[in-house]
Amino acid sequence: MRRDFAKSIFERLIREQILQFDDSILAIAGGEAEKELFASFGFKNVTISNLDDRLIGDEFVPYTWSRQDAQSLSFGDNDFDYSFVSDGLHHCSSPHRALLEMYRVARKGLIVIESRDSY
């Protein structure tokens, strides 16, 4: 994740009162960088998801971890206020399907940062 860019996006969303610190956020293809980003702002209700089989679930405390395939999320419709991904969609065999899943589970919106420019 390009931390400075992501941080500037979040600063703007908070300043414009789009994001609230108690909004529920699902981070797709997330890791330590996402944990640090959300913690730096004081977000309280974050679920970090990825496909890493080596994780046991406590690596992202105080946040929740969930093993999730971005293209087939197990969460229900509108379970989160926002879905977030940074530099993760290009890893999906169907980025469009992952984006649709993010849309399905989000009540308010999506935050997508994707720097890869490829075919």
Side-chain angles (χ1 to χ4, degrees), residues 1-15 19 25 27 32-38 40-41 43 84-88 111-115:
M1 174 189 342
R2 295 171 295 153
R3 288 188 179 126
D4 291 338
F5 182 70
K7 190 170 183 172
S8 70
I9 295 296
F10 274 80
E11 286 169 347
R12 181 177 177 188
L13 293 171
I14 291 166
R15 183 176 58 250
L19 279 178
I25 300 173
E32 189 64 30
E34 285 73 16
K35 175 187 173 183
E36 290 174 13
L37 174 70
F38 293 116
S40 72
F41 287 106
F43 284 97
F84 168 78
V85 65
S86 179
D87 301 324
I111 304 165
V112 178
I113 300 170
E114 187 64 45
S115 62

Side-chain angles (χ1 to χ4, degrees), residues 5-65:
F5 182 70
K7 190 170 183 172
S8 70
I9 295 296
F10 274 80
E11 286 169 347
R12 181 177 177 188
L13 293 171
I14 291 166
R15 183 176 58 250
E16 294 180 8
Q17 299 182 344
I18 295 168
L19 279 178
Q20 307 299 316
F21 297 113
D22 59 350
D23 282 335
S24 59
I25 300 173
L26 173 63
I28 300 292
E32 189 64 30
E34 285 73 16
K35 175 187 173 183
E36 290 174 13
L37 174 70
F38 293 116
S40 72
F41 287 106
F43 284 97
K44 298 176 181 85
N45 189 2
V46 177
T47 299
I48 297 174
S49 70
N50 59 46
L51 287 172
D52 193 340
D53 287 324
R54 299 168 297 169
L55 301 178
I56 59 173
D58 62 354
E59 291 83 359
F60 302 112
V61 171
Y63 304 123
T64 303
W65 172 75

Side-chain angles (χ1 to χ4, degrees), residues 97-109:
R97 180 69 190 148
L99 203 56
L100 289 174
E101 280 291 280
M102 291 176 65
Y103 179 73
R104 180 183 65 77
V105 302
R107 274 186 293 277
K108 296 180 180 178

